[in-house]
């Protein structure tokens, strides 16, 4: 029997999103994680030169497959995935919508039955060229908001802004092909919102939520349509 091939199903109700945090630092990962990956995923994992990168990829993909398998009542290694033109993953056929993100040894996976999702997570103390990235990717409105902040507030605001942008781009299925300067998000703490957009792909009822998956990290969840509840779980 393959290890971690099934996980007890947790009901995924309409209007509800599930956020799963995954610890990617486990030391006994190799046999258990590689066993549930597809052939292509296993080959990709083994191509990583750094052991830490291989571990994070394999543990994350195995966790994603195991959680999906619980929702689908399917062994993890039998979960069939498909990919959109810009790389957005989905369950082949029908199944929960989902999104996955990781930063160092922490991953977050989001699932919903009836809403397109995008999730992003960042470690708050990682290196980042804040001014360079803001100058190159922020909209005019966002650059003005950053310019109004005191110097000590710019770095935490940067990670709030970036996770919100990334989450929306993932939910729309376009990733980094989406021109980030063509839509505006809030940068204030506790006030995650899409303020305006010049893109048809982001028209309609988009919703943003900010969350803290673990101390020292920040995350954003984007969804199309109103979520009535977000429930959190640890894998």
């Amino acid at each position: 029997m393959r290890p971690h091939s099934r996980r007890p199903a947790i009901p995924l109700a309409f209007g509800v999103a599930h956020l799963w945090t995954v610890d990617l630092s486990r030391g006994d990962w190799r046999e258990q994680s590689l066993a549930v990956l597809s052939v292509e995923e296993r080959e990709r994992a083994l191509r990583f030169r750094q052991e830490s990168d291989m571990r994070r990829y394999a543990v994350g993909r195995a966790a994603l497959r195991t959680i999906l398998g619980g929702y689908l009542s399917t062994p993890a290694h039998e979960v069939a995935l498909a990919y959109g033109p810009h790389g957005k993953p989905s369950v082949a056929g029908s199944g929960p919508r989902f999104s996955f993100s990781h930063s160092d040894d922490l991953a977050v996976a989001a699932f919903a039955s009836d809403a397109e999702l995008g999730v992003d997570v960042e470690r708050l103390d990682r290196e980042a060229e804040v001014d360079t990235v803001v100058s190159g990717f922020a909209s005019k409105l966002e650059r003005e908001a950053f310019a109004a902040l005191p110097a000590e507030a710019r770095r935490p605001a940067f990670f709030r802004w970036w996770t919100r942008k990334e989450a929306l781009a993932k939910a729309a299925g376009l990733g980094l092909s989406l021109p980030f300067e063509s839509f505006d998000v809030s940068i204030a703490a506790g006030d995650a919102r899409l303020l305006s957009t010049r893109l048809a792909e982001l028209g309609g009822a988009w919703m943003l939520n900010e969350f803290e998956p673990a101390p020292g990290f920040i995350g954003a969840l984007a969804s199309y349509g109103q979520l009535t509840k977000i429930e959190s779980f640890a894998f």
Side-chain angles (χ1 to χ4, degrees), residues 46-94:
L46 295 174
R47 284 198 297 269
F48 284 104
R49 295 186 177 184
Q50 297 293 327
E51 177 83 3
S52 59
D53 293 333
M54 184 188 302
R55 168 177 47 78
R56 289 166 180 161
Y57 175 80
V59 174
R61 296 298 289 192
L64 175 63
R65 285 182 160 276
T66 302
I67 297 167
L68 280 171
Y71 291 128
L72 297 167
S73 298
T74 301
H77 66 281
E78 293 182 7
V79 173
L81 300 178
Y83 296 87
H86 297 281
K88 183 177 182 178
S90 62
V91 176
S94 62

Side-chain angles (χ1 to χ4, degrees), residues 36-48:
V36 301
L37 302 188
S38 68
V39 173
E40 293 79 8
E41 290 168 336
R42 197 175 305 119
E43 290 175 348
R44 179 178 176 184
L46 295 174
R47 284 198 297 269
F48 284 104

Side-chain angles (χ1 to χ4, degrees), residues 88 99-101 117-120 165-175:
K88 183 177 182 178
S99 182
F100 184 89
S101 178
L117 296 176
V119 72
D120 192 59
K165 287 278 200 179
E166 279 267 28
L168 281 164
K170 289 180 178 180
L174 296 173

Side-chain angles (χ1 to χ4, degrees), residues 18-31:
H18 287 176
L19 280 177
W20 289 80
T21 56
V22 182
D23 180 3
L24 304 179
S25 67
R26 56 183 300 168
D28 59 345
W29 65 273
R30 185 179 290 268
E31 181 179 353

Side-chain angles (χ1 to χ4, degrees), residues 4-5 11 16 25 27-28 33 51 77 96 116 131 149 172 184 189 193 196 200 215-216 232-233:
H4 294 305
S5 62
V16 176
S25 67
D28 59 345
S33 297
E51 177 83 3
H77 66 281
E116 290 297 339
D131 292 339
L149 293 175
D184 312 308
R193 288 180 293 139
S196 61
S232 298
F233 305 90

